[in-house]
Amino acid sequence: MELDDLYQQIILDHNKKRAGYGLHPGGFPSHQYNPTCGDELTLTVRLSEDGATITAFEWEGKGCSISQASASLMTSEATGMSVIEFESFANGFRDAMRSRGTIALSEDEYGDLAALSGVSKFVARVKCAMLAWVAAEDSLILTRESLN
Ligand code: ZN
């Protein structure tokens, strides 16, 4: 199997699997909309009591397979990270997505999220891949503000 085919398969699998799918009451959901593609996503980050660790991502949305798979992959790879780890993880993901194909996500660090590396070659799709991450960063800010 070619690497591109494998990556395509991971994206299709996560588009179906939707890890983290289902919003529960409470928390600080962030709603994001990508007008270019029509993707919509609402996501809530759940933190540990001390506010230091991400215990869960909850989300619901609809849209293209890249937008949905990115939310599911982020949930799979980033649940359990500290907030500080996640911030740098998200920055690295954003840098790769905006790199126009020049930065690939390493499988060592990003696991199955590396399957999204190829998206950065298609400028119009970058927002699709970033939607869940923008929502997560926004929800994180709102949640952390509530702890102060
Ligand atoms: Zn999309």
Side-chain angles (χ1 to χ4, degrees):
M1 199 185 252
E2 299 280 332
L3 191 61
D4 280 354
D5 294 340
L6 176 66
Y7 280 175
Q8 190 62 35
Q9 194 57 49
I10 290 171
I11 291 169
L12 293 175
D13 286 350
H14 272 273
N15 182 42
K16 273 196 215 130
K17 181 180 166 190
R18 296 176 169 222
Y21 201 87
L23 287 164
H24 302 283
F28 296 86
S30 171
H31 178 76
Q32 299 292 328
Y33 174 59
N34 173 17
T36 324
C37 183
D39 311 314
E40 252 181 282
L41 200 127
T42 305
L43 185 144
T44 307
V45 177
R46 303 284 180 179
L47 297 181
S48 57
E49 254 173 61
D50 63 2
T53 307
I54 294 174
T55 56
F57 296 93
E58 296 169 4
W59 61 277
E60 287 180 10
K62 56 183 192 312
C64 69
S65 57
I66 291 171
S67 67
Q68 305 295 293
S70 186
S72 176
L73 283 159
M74 179 183 75
T75 301
S76 297
E77 301 294 336
T79 301
M81 279 185 180
S82 74
V83 170
I84 292 163
E85 277 175 315
F86 178 72
E87 283 168 351
S88 97
F89 195 69
N91 286 336
F93 184 79
R94 178 181 276 108
D95 289 346
M97 286 301 110
R98 289 183 177 168
S99 74
R100 295 175 182 254
T102 60
I103 302 172
L105 295 160
S106 88
E107 275 191 56
D108 284 349
E109 201 183 344
Y110 282 89
D112 282 349
L113 277 163
L116 292 171
S117 288
V119 171
S120 73
K121 290 178 208 147
F122 306 95
V123 175
R125 309 311 299 277
V126 171
K127 275 190 183 161
C128 305
M130 285 308 304
L131 201 64
W133 299 72
V134 171
E137 288 174 330
D138 189 38
S139 175
L140 200 52
I141 289 167
L142 299 171
T143 308
R144 307 245 310 162
E145 276 172 3
S146 78
L147 297 171
N148 289 335

